[in-house]
Amino acid sequence: LNGAFRNMESAGNPWGSPRAGRMDWTKDLPFAVPTVAELAQAGTLDSLEVLYWVGCAAAFDERNRRVARAVATCLSAAGVRFAVLGQEESCTGDPARRMGNEYVYQVLAAGNIETLKRYGFEKRTIITACPHCFNTIGTEYGQLGGTFEILHHSVYLQGLLAAGRLPIADASGTSARSVTLHDSCYMARYSGISAEPREVLRRLPMVELHEMERRERSTFCCGAGGGRMWMEESRGTRINEERTRQALATGADAVVTECPFCMTMIRDGLSAAGDRGADVQAIDLAELLAASLAPPAATR
């Protein structure tokens, strides 16, 4: 674990990737993603609706960068005025605290709290697609004097759909897609958030939800929590492989996730399942929603 600790302390993320790469995920987007600093410099920060807290995984992991692009696409399609911190964002410190390094956690947390307070985000809404960031900023930063309103992207996107701000494409004539939803521990077990992602799925045409037996508050961990994202199972059945077995038992052709760590662990589980998992996709809720949006021309 020492490598992850050093990377968090020196580079602000567990992978040790350069801070300069925190905006690389935006390069393929057809619209600009502003930073909070740019809005502040232009004197337009007051127009901001939400801050999108990207998180380290979505900023640096290539697969999860696609999730960040999907979240931004949904926000843009809904006309939400949003921005990101860019290089001013740092790891929340969740992995360090979970792995027992309270010092590194408090260093990272103090820095983020200072940044968020500097831009007045104690009175603004923050959204994130990472349940670990959601829990740390919304629950644990209060212990260090940082009180912020933060929403998980499943909750915010469900609200946009309910308000009619996201136009869904007509899917008539297309075959139904069967999916199963993997509830993240921090969402379902710790925060009781399980209805909202299911409501998003219900609003998507031609999507059939096949539930796993272990779901909602009784969900089964993906195996990455408690800092085990950076550790290896050395005995028994790998947790992610057992959870993947439960997902495959539903017969669904896609496993919908709502967490970057869960995405990684389920993908690894599908690979380990061989032929059984070869044709099954791991996909984030935001990606499924973004793919269902009506094209801009159809909304005019």
Side-chain angles (χ1 to χ4, degrees):
L1 303 179
N2 286 328
F5 291 146
R6 286 193 297 269
N7 290 336
M8 283 184 277
E9 198 167 4
S10 61
N13 66 87
W15 291 275
S17 300
R19 293 178 186 270
R22 276 198 176 268
M23 293 293 288
D24 287 354
W25 63 272
T26 66
K27 291 180 179 178
D28 298 333
L29 292 173
F31 51 86
V33 177
T35 64
V36 174
E38 290 170 345
L39 296 184
Q41 187 174 10
T44 58
L45 188 58
D46 287 342
S47 68
L48 193 68
E49 282 187 71
V50 296
L51 166 69
Y52 172 30
W53 185 278
V54 180
C56 298
F60 299 115
D61 175 69
E62 192 54 46
R63 175 62 186 88
N64 279 295
R65 281 177 173 173
R66 286 156 54 186
V67 177
R69 288 190 282 269
V71 172
T73 296
C74 292
L75 295 178
S76 177
V80 175
R81 297 183 300 277
F82 74 100
V84 298
L85 284 173
Q87 294 186 38
E88 290 190 272
E89 182 180 304
S90 187
C91 178
T92 61
D94 167 80
R97 172 169 266 196
R98 301 285 89 81
M99 294 187 291
N101 196 326
E102 183 68 10
Y103 168 75
V104 171
Y105 163 72
Q106 293 207 18
V107 168
L108 292 168
N112 285 326
I113 291 171
E114 180 183 354
T115 299
L116 292 171
K117 283 185 173 181
R118 185 169 71 251
Y119 289 115
F121 280 106
E122 289 176 299
K123 299 179 181 179
R124 300 177 187 272
T125 300
I126 306 169
I127 66 168
T128 183
C130 178
H132 296 257
C133 297
F134 166 82
N135 178 72
T136 303
I137 294 174
T139 303
E140 299 186 350
Y141 276 11
Q143 300 168 353
L144 300 177
T147 303
F148 307 102
E149 179 191 4
I150 185 165
L151 300 175
H152 187 252
H153 76 319
S154 63
V155 175
Y156 193 75
L157 294 176
Q158 188 273 332
L160 293 177
L161 282 168
R165 295 180 66 176
L166 283 171
I168 302 299
D170 181 9
S172 58
T174 61
S175 57
R177 182 178 194 182
S178 63
V179 305
T180 189
L181 176 66
H182 166 70
D183 289 289
S184 160
C185 291
Y186 272 131
M187 289 294 97
R189 291 172 60 194
Y190 287 85
S191 302
I193 298 174
S194 57
E196 289 85 353
R198 286 169 173 79
E199 179 61 24
V200 172
L201 294 176
R202 278 192 288 269
R203 287 177 176 269
L204 301 184
M206 308 311 291
V207 169
E208 296 179 352
L209 177 61
H210 298 263
E211 294 277 20
M212 287 182 267
E213 182 177 354
R214 297 292 300 271
R215 63 183 184 272
E216 300 177 56
R217 282 197 180 272
S218 297
T219 189
F220 195 91
C221 182
C222 74
R228 300 199 73 84
M229 179 78 174
W230 290 271
M231 302 164 69
E232 289 291 336
E233 300 293 338
S234 58
R235 60 183 179 180
T237 302
R238 289 177 181 265
I239 297 172
N240 65 318
E241 293 179 11
E242 170 57 24
R243 183 53 165 171
T244 302
R245 183 195 65 76
Q246 297 170 20
L248 292 174
T250 67
D253 56 32
V255 183
V256 180
T257 62
E258 53 183 11
C259 169
F261 292 174
C262 294
M263 166 71 76
T264 298
M265 301 302 278
I266 295 296
R267 288 185 73 215
D268 288 350
L270 291 171
S271 296
D275 292 342
R276 289 190 63 205
D279 297 324
V280 179
Q281 181 186 19
I283 186 169
D284 187 85
L285 185 74
E287 293 180 287
L288 205 57
L289 177 55
S292 301
L293 295 177
T299 65
R300 290 199 293 267

